[in-house]
């Protein structure tokens, strides 16, 4: 009997979590499409396939919807980037680190420059008066987490002799800048050659 009650409660709990996530996903979609000022809660409810009161049952107001939707999207972007970096491990002794670094660089570019990531950056910066700390929070959830994870991987490569001894945080910043900097001038650049060029320059600077 206790088991049945627990299972039912679990289903109810999961259903509520899934519904909340669907609302946040819909909110992000609508905010990205229309911007904060032009978005209404009714449109978010319609996008999520729920009644407007259901939205308010999960998130109290439009401001909460916006903040949590953007933060949830930022967490998804970071998770994809961190998954890429999990695969970056020291190569066998004497092996060229370029192939592994290039694969990681392509994955990072894909995670950090996708349509969702671009929308997050735009939304986080668009209403500074109403959300003065949102941009900093998004940076903490994405760029700083990715830099820390990349620094850890580069430190491991240096310990294995694949890179020269270095400040791993600075090395991570250099590699990320080499990857994303050219996009300011060539936003439609092919990510493959971009990643390869970034890694070539990075390895020249950090070769043992």
């Amino acid at each position: 009997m206790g088991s049945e009650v627990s299972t039912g409660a679990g289903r109810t709990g999961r259903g509520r979590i899934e519904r909340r996530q669907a609302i946040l996903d819909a909110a992000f979609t609508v905010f990205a499409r229309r911007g904060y000022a032009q978005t209404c809660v009714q449109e978010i409810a319609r996008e999520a396939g729920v009644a407007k009161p259901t939205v308010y049952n999960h998130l109290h107001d439009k401001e909460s919807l916006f903040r949590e939707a953007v933060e949830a999207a930022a967490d998804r972007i970071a998770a994809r980037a961190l998954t890429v970096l999990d695969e970056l491990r020291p190569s066998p002794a004497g092996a060229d680190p370029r192939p592994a670094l290039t694969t990681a660089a392509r994955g990072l570019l894909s995670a950090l420059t996708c349509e969702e990531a671009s929308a997050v950056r735009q939304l986080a910066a668009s209403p500074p008066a109403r959300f003065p700390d949102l941009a900093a929070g998004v940076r903490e959830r994405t760029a700083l987490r990715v830099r820390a994870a990349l620094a850890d991987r580069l430190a491991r490569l240096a310990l294995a002799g694949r890179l020269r001894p270095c400040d791993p945080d600075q090395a991570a910043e250099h590699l990320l800048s080499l990857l994303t900097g050219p996009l300011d001038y060539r936003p439609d650049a092919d990510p493959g050659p971009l990643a390869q060029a970034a890694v070539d320059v990075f390895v020249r600077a950090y070769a043992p």
Side-chain angles (χ1 to χ4, degrees):
M1 183 177 184
S3 174
E4 291 176 1
V5 172
S6 175
T7 301
R11 283 199 300 269
T12 301
R14 284 194 299 273
R16 181 172 178 80
I17 291 170
E18 290 166 0
R19 195 174 299 112
R20 178 186 176 88
Q21 187 58 56
I23 292 169
L24 288 175
D25 291 345
F28 184 79
T29 297
V30 178
F31 283 126
R33 184 168 62 223
R34 297 179 57 81
Y36 180 82
Q38 300 302 317
T39 294
C40 66
V41 174
Q42 179 61 55
E43 186 174 1
I44 291 171
R46 189 162 52 247
E47 183 79 21
V50 300
K52 186 176 178 180
T54 302
V55 175
Y56 286 119
N57 285 340
H58 287 268
L59 294 120
H60 301 303
D61 50 36
K62 180 179 170 182
E63 292 182 4
S64 298
L65 271 168
F66 181 80
R67 180 181 294 277
E68 294 201 33
V70 172
E71 289 177 346
D75 287 340
R76 287 195 297 271
I77 294 160
R80 289 194 288 268
L82 296 179
T83 297
V84 168
L85 293 176
D86 281 343
E87 301 301 317
L88 180 58
R89 295 182 172 87
S91 51
D96 187 347
R98 285 180 178 85
L101 283 170
T102 301
T103 298
R106 287 176 179 149
L108 284 176
L109 273 177
S110 177
L112 298 177
T113 63
C114 66
E115 184 176 348
E116 184 176 42
S118 298
V120 165
R121 286 191 293 271
Q122 182 176 359
L123 289 172
S126 60
R130 192 179 293 268
F131 303 93
D133 60 335
L134 185 59
V138 166
R139 185 168 61 251
E140 178 73 31
R141 289 168 180 268
T142 54
L144 298 185
R145 285 180 66 193
V146 171
R147 185 191 67 177
L150 179 57
D152 174 76
R153 292 302 176 183
L154 296 179
R156 293 168 187 257
L157 289 173
L159 286 173
R162 304 282 72 78
L163 299 175
R164 67 172 173 80
C166 59
D167 176 341
D169 285 329
Q170 185 177 67
E173 288 180 2
H174 287 164
L175 181 52
L176 290 169
S177 295
L178 287 167
L179 279 172
T180 60
L183 294 173
D184 289 337
Y185 308 97
R186 294 181 289 126
D188 298 325
D190 187 337
L194 199 62
Q196 185 67 62
V199 169
D200 285 345
V201 173
F202 179 80
V203 171
R204 288 194 193 102
Y206 284 94

